[in-house]
Amino acid sequence: MSSTELPSVPPTSVLSGAEAVRVAEGERLRSVGLPGVTLSVRSRPPVRAGLPPALYIHGLGGSSQNWSDLMERLEGVVDGEAVDLPGFGDSPPPDDGDYSVTGHARAVIRYLAAAGRGPVHLFGNSLGGAVATRVAAVRPDLVRTLTLVSPALPELRVQRTAVPTVILGLPGVAGLLTRTTGKWTAEQRVRGVLALCYGDPGRVTPEAFEHAVAELERRLRLPYFWDAMARSARGIVNAYTLGGQHGLWRQAERVLAPTLLIYGGRDQLVSYRMAQKAARSFRHSRLLSMPDAGHVAMMEYPEAVAGAFRELLASAGELAGGPAAGTVGGRPVAPGAGS
């Protein structure tokens, strides 16, 4: 399907009075107005014409910037775009205040349908992994392959380190956190987030740390920051309780697209033990286990994630001259089996 150029919204109408969000060299950022939502979309001009489209979806508290390193490494393979979910990054809140997994999925579907970019190679991390799973299940026509990095799918026993995220979704907690953590500096907050999300926070360069602090300072000044965080956290919790055809594991079983699953052995938010369940649930899956990675493998080890994605394309017959099918990092991997 050919891509349709959507009208861009002037940045001042999106986040009036807020500092400009960082755009790395080689990237561009635009805002797209859709019914009920305005989305900020980050992209890199494709290396050549005719590359298949890809869309990246970040996790709770993240933004499209979480995918910059991976997008750069895949710019010769796909025509990549990364979206800021409503209320995150440079995207304003949704008109209806719906921060549920379904609400975020609906925003992604609206964008893909309006842009005419489907089917895409769809990527998702954490909350974005749950959103991507729902999109792939209900709109298989929009998804070519699915790559999930530590997807937030229901767990029977939540890790102790993930409990604060669950608590954040409780009514009134966001306001309490705003009051009790008001004296915390952005540097302290960022160090805490890195300790929680990275297998080895020491991999973050001083420059990247400075960028993260500046971005958090910008977002903390947005009046809806904590509301978007709390409502999206509540959306994850609510999605975990859904049963029947709307349950995320049931929807995972409905996904038809070839799927790459990536789990980190040091992930403190999504349990490493869920990897095998995910591999059994997604019918056409490949599993890459990364023992040293945390919750954001695409930020910690972008080269390894890019290599695994290329191998997914090769196994699906979409990457000419790629590595042999059935391998990850040169090691044999059976579909649906752990590595």
Side-chain angles (χ1 to χ4, degrees):
M1 185 180 296
S2 61
S3 177
T4 301
E5 187 66 27
L6 294 175
S8 296
V9 177
T12 53
S13 70
V14 179
L15 297 177
S16 180
E19 298 91 335
V21 70
R22 179 175 179 271
V23 181
E25 183 178 354
E27 294 181 345
R28 55 190 178 192
L29 193 68
R30 73 185 193 281
S31 294
V32 177
L34 299 165
V37 69
T38 297
L39 296 179
S40 181
V41 180
R42 183 179 303 267
S43 62
R44 297 186 68 89
V47 170
R48 61 181 182 277
L51 289 178
L55 187 71
Y56 304 83
I57 311 173
H58 63 81
L60 181 67
S63 75
S64 58
Q65 294 184 60
N66 294 165
W67 297 100
S68 289
D69 287 344
L70 184 62
M71 277 205 300
E72 182 177 5
R73 284 163 174 78
L74 291 177
E75 63 181 354
V77 180
V78 295
D79 179 0
E81 293 185 339
V83 64
D84 285 330
L85 291 174
F88 293 92
D90 211 35
S91 293
D95 291 354
D96 60 3
D98 186 357
Y99 288 99
S100 66
V101 171
T102 297
H104 285 313
R106 188 180 300 119
V108 171
I109 290 171
R110 284 177 182 170
Y111 172 68
L112 288 175
R117 282 176 59 83
V120 299
H121 296 291
L122 189 62
F123 293 73
N125 168 235
S126 193
L127 164 63
V131 172
T133 297
R134 185 147 290 173
V135 171
V138 302
R139 288 297 304 270
D141 58 305
L142 294 178
V143 180
R144 188 176 305 212
T145 66
L146 185 62
T147 298
L148 304 178
V149 182
S150 296
L153 300 175
E155 299 183 34
L156 292 178
R157 183 161 52 91
V158 178
Q159 294 188 98
R160 179 176 53 83
T161 45
V163 170
T165 302
V166 176
I167 294 176
L168 177 61
L170 298 177
V173 171
L176 177 62
L177 282 175
T178 303
R179 294 190 297 272
T180 58
T181 66
K183 294 184 179 180
W184 291 8
T185 66
E187 288 87 349
Q188 289 174 315
R189 295 176 190 271
V190 169
R191 291 191 191 283
V193 169
L194 295 180
L196 184 64
C197 292
Y198 275 68
D200 177 11
R203 295 182 64 86
V204 180
T205 66
E207 181 184 24
F209 180 79
E210 291 177 5
H211 290 322
V213 170
E215 172 62 10
L216 181 57
E217 289 176 336
R218 183 190 74 86
R219 292 172 67 181
L220 283 170
R221 286 191 280 269
L222 299 174
Y224 54 81
F225 173 80
W226 282 112
D227 186 59
M229 286 284 291
R231 288 174 181 257
S232 292
R234 194 177 310 155
I236 296 174
V237 174
N238 290 342
Y240 278 25
T241 65
L242 289 176
Q245 295 300 317
H246 298 291
L248 283 169
W249 284 117
R250 183 68 64 85
Q251 292 193 323
E253 294 171 354
R254 292 167 51 190
V255 172
L256 301 176
T259 301
L260 171 62
L261 302 165
I262 301 175
Y263 282 80
R266 296 183 179 179
D267 194 332
Q268 300 180 65
L269 294 170
V270 169
S271 177
Y272 190 63
R273 65 177 179 270
M274 300 305 295
Q276 291 296 337
K277 178 176 176 59
R280 292 192 299 268
S281 297
F282 290 89
R283 63 178 74 183
H284 304 298
S285 69
R286 299 162 61 86
L287 173 60
L288 174 61
S289 298
M290 303 184 68
D292 295 327
H295 191 59
V296 286
M298 75 286 186
M299 299 175 71
E300 290 187 85
Y301 300 98
E303 198 64 54
V305 173
F309 174 69
R310 291 189 186 96
E311 290 165 3
L312 172 69
L313 296 188
S315 70
E318 295 201 30
L319 185 64
T327 68
V328 169
R331 294 174 287 109
V333 178
S339 59

